[in-house]
Amino acid sequence: MKITAYGVSAEERRIFEKWQATHPDVTLQLLPDWLAADNVALAAGSLGISAFQTGQYDAALFEKMARLQIPVLAIRNVGTDNIDFPAAAQAGIQISNVPSYSPAGIAEYVVALALQLLRRLPEVTTLVADDQLLTARGLTGRELNRQTVGVVGFGHIGQLTAKLFHQMGARVLAYDAYYHGAEPTWLRLMPDLPSLLAESNLVTLHVPGVPANQHLLNATNLALLPAEALVINTARGNLIDTPALIAALKKGALGGAAIDTFEREDQIEPAVQQQRPIIDALYRELLALPNVLVTPHIAYHTNVAVENMVQDSLANLLAYASNGQLQTPVTH
Ligand code: NAD
Ligand code: COI
């Protein structure tokens, strides 16, 4: 049996190779490039493909997979917003993701971002680099234990993020459009997004970047936040109307923002891959703001997560090989 993996980093390669040693019956082909219609032929003869990328999985890819008789795509991450599911269904391609490779790691990252914003570390770092230590000393921070944190999306990551903020003494609110579980004693579930925003000094997003969630935080919703509130986005860039966020930061309505997932990630990706300067105007405008922390979509990136991403993606492909069923199939 042959499996082809795309988007394989040096770090992942070591995990794949360790797995290979215990699965001598599988021929594993490891490729560094992202999966696309123009390179999928390299996977000819594979039972399935494992892939990791933020770029699109489009109709042309699925049509070609069907022609090559490769029935399965097992992505190594959570988000599925970059998959053309109707096209996959039309081509008869089944898809799995890794729904929970390490939500705790992402939750910890959110807390790290929150503390940096509260203590104004982006501003401090810039001032220190500029030898303006006295000015840096004058910046007053805020304490997490005095904040109300609003968690939007109470799924795998949102729940663990909420828990960490609670354990650190914050008052925690959450809103989830589809959550029907019990309300934990230590948290208040809000009936809608506006009521959560109206009370949150810090809001953190943990919903998928599906079209229905496009610009969940737009100018109207951002205006509901209390003065100097902080915004954290480690979910998907399209959840925030970035020009509206920049406008709110510029006029001082918001106190700061941490953006791990940027709205125009697709557009800046070629420059990222080629290690060229990023000239996207919106990106540069965001980066130039003193109270904004930008990170390059790395909230997921821990040793635990990478190991689980590889192992769980391969487990899906092996399950399919043995009984025709993916362990964690996704259809939207
Ligand atoms: P999940 O599916 O477990 O939880 C998402 C929750 O959002 C669900 O409970 C759902 O009911 C809720 N939801 C959907 N739309 C909503 C809306 N409009 N309002 C309120 N709630 C809504 O997903 P997860 O594992 O918690 O991951 C969340 C997102 O985080 C993923 O979709 C992915 O885009 C992103 N992510 C980012 C990174 C990173 O490295 N930055 C890593 C992993 C995941
Ligand atoms: C996800 O798992 O959905 C992520 O956002 C990680 C990303 C690098 C693909």
Side-chain angles (χ1 to χ4, degrees):
M1 176 176 56
K2 178 178 169 188
I3 288 174
T4 300
Y6 285 81
V8 178
S9 65
E11 179 184 22
E12 287 183 305
R13 175 173 284 275
R14 287 192 288 276
I15 303 166
F16 275 112
E17 285 173 352
K18 206 168 77 193
W19 182 92
Q20 171 78 93
T22 56
H23 297 80
D25 50 324
V26 179
T27 304
L28 200 51
Q29 178 177 219
L30 304 177
L31 304 171
D33 294 330
W34 283 6
L35 173 65
D38 63 10
N39 65 10
V40 69
L42 294 171
S46 300
L47 159 95
I49 291 174
S50 166
F52 180 69
Q53 63 198 42
T54 54
Q56 294 300 308
Y57 300 102
D58 58 17
L61 167 69
F62 294 125
E63 282 158 21
K64 224 158 169 186
M65 282 178 70
R67 280 207 295 279
L68 291 162
Q69 298 186 319
I70 305 171
V72 183
L73 169 64
I75 65 168
R76 301 197 290 281
N77 66 294
V78 177
T80 57
D81 48 288
N82 53 346
I83 298 174
D84 184 340
F85 280 105
Q90 174 82 21
I93 307 297
Q94 295 190 47
I95 303 177
S96 62
N97 74 344
V98 183
S100 182
Y101 49 76
S102 185
I106 297 157
E108 287 177 12
Y109 191 76
V110 173
V111 171
L113 295 175
L115 291 172
Q116 290 196 60
L117 290 179
L118 286 165
R119 299 309 294 265
R120 303 180 66 175
L121 292 186
E123 291 154 275
V124 169
T125 309
T126 308
L127 288 166
V128 170
D130 208 20
D131 285 346
Q132 296 187 55
L133 280 67
L134 199 60
T135 313
R137 281 184 190 157
L139 297 178
T140 308
R142 284 183 271 173
E143 297 185 23
L144 180 55
N145 65 80
R146 302 294 182 95
Q147 309 305 313
T148 296
V149 175
V151 177
V152 181
F154 200 52
H156 292 100
I157 300 167
Q159 290 187 24
L160 292 181
T161 304
K163 192 77 182 272
L164 282 187
F165 279 122
H166 160 69
Q167 287 166 339
M168 294 180 79
R171 172 174 176 254
V172 186
L173 313 175
Y175 166 62
D176 192 298
Y178 310 100
Y179 178 77
H180 299 298
E183 183 179 59
T185 50
W186 46 270
L187 171 142
R188 235 177 91 206
L189 280 176
M190 305 303 279
D192 51 45
L193 183 62
S195 56
L196 174 135
L197 295 176
E199 289 191 46
S200 299
N201 310 111
L202 190 158
V203 63
T204 178
L205 303 179
H206 301 288
V207 300
V210 292
N213 288 342
Q214 172 81 6
H215 291 177
L216 205 60
L217 287 191
N218 54 20
T220 310
N221 281 340
L222 286 169
L224 298 174
L225 287 161
E228 298 186 16
L230 305 172
V231 173
I232 298 180
N233 187 8
T234 58
R236 280 296 179 269
N238 68 333
L239 300 174
I240 298 185
D241 178 342
T242 311
L245 177 78
I246 291 172
L249 287 160
K250 279 190 171 164
K251 70 176 187 213
L254 293 177
I259 303 298
D260 183 54
T261 44
F262 170 62
E263 185 167 13
R264 291 167 58 86
E265 190 167 310
D266 274 4
Q267 283 90 334
I268 68 168
E269 192 57 33
V272 174
Q273 293 293 334
Q274 293 158 27
Q275 300 196 299
R276 282 190 280 110
I278 296 161
I279 52 172
D280 184 271
L282 200 61
Y283 178 79
R284 300 255 55 116
E285 201 177 353
L286 196 60
L287 207 61
L289 294 172
N291 46 355
V292 170
L293 192 54
V294 176
T295 59
H297 204 149
I298 54 168
Y300 79 95
H301 199 168
T302 68
N303 51 352
V304 175
V306 177
E307 175 86 31
N308 290 339
M309 286 167 153
V310 172
Q311 298 287 357
D312 293 3
S313 161
L314 289 168
N316 266 289
L317 293 170
L318 283 192
Y320 185 85
S322 77
N323 61 17
Q325 304 271 317
L326 290 163
Q327 281 182 347
T328 48
V330 277
T331 52
H332 62 276

